Amino acid sequence: VANESFEFVSRNFPKSPSRFDAQLWLAKSHVFAGRYQRADLVLTSLEPFVDRGETSKDVKRMFPLVKADYLIRNGQYNLAAEYLEKALAVKQNRKTRIRINFIAGQLNQKLGNNQKAINFYLNTIKLNPPYEFAFHARLFAAECYDTSSGKNESILTELNKMLKDSKNADYLDRIYYALANIELKKNNKEKA
């Protein structure tokens, strides 16, 4: 029923700005339902209007997120990461920025862009996220640790702080494991 309403508005009100909202929600519902070809058609037709600034601020803000979701579900991680960066360039609320940075970190980690992943994870932490996001952002950043880059030492500091925090008592094994992996990357086998 919702799809029919979105299609009705899109078809019957071609001059109305609300058609772009309807198209975005139509694409979103297609992505959610796994109708990727339909979602792709709608997103492809909507994107030029977004790029030219002919849509509402809400559509401009949400479009890169819907497109990134579509691309992730289709395994196009490089493009999805680009759209998440576009989403960060548009004004988003703090909760959304936390999620975008965290997901961008995961995508870049999956793609082997470790330094970029670390930067996104550290940005997640800077936004003062809920505990679970902060905890996992620190651990995932540790997995991306690169010994050739001296600027990753802050990750070690963060992990050592986590060891002292009583909230992490149940997760000490994961923290020590992350620290050991970093030491192995540094060739410090005894310390690991």
Side-chain angles (χ1 to χ4, degrees), residues 145 152-161 178-179 182-183 186:
Y145 186 89
N152 291 335
E153 291 302 314
S154 64
I155 295 169
L156 282 172
T157 306
E158 289 289 331
L159 289 173
N160 284 311
K161 280 185 201 174
L179 285 165
I182 289 171
E183 293 304 329
K186 291 173 148 185

Side-chain angles (χ1 to χ4, degrees), residues 56-127:
S56 68
K57 287 180 183 176
D58 282 340
V59 172
K60 183 180 174 92
R61 181 178 50 81
M62 291 298 297
F63 179 84
L65 298 173
V66 175
K67 183 79 174 199
D69 184 27
Y70 160 76
L71 293 166
I72 290 168
R73 291 175 189 240
N74 282 285
Q76 298 177 47
Y77 304 123
N78 277 323
L79 274 174
E82 289 176 26
Y83 277 92
L84 289 177
E85 287 185 39
K86 287 181 182 182
L88 286 169
V90 180
K91 187 173 173 84
Q92 305 283 352
N93 66 40
R94 186 180 74 82
K95 185 177 176 182
T96 304
R97 292 185 75 74
I98 290 168
R99 293 180 62 85
I100 294 170
N101 275 290
F102 189 79
I103 294 167
Q106 290 177 307
L107 284 177
N108 280 285
Q109 183 176 2
K110 185 174 189 74
L111 293 167
N113 303 331
N114 288 340
Q115 192 55 54
K116 244 181 151 176
I118 288 171
N119 292 338
F120 282 115
Y121 289 136
L122 293 178
N123 287 341
T124 302
I125 295 164
K126 286 178 192 172
L127 290 166

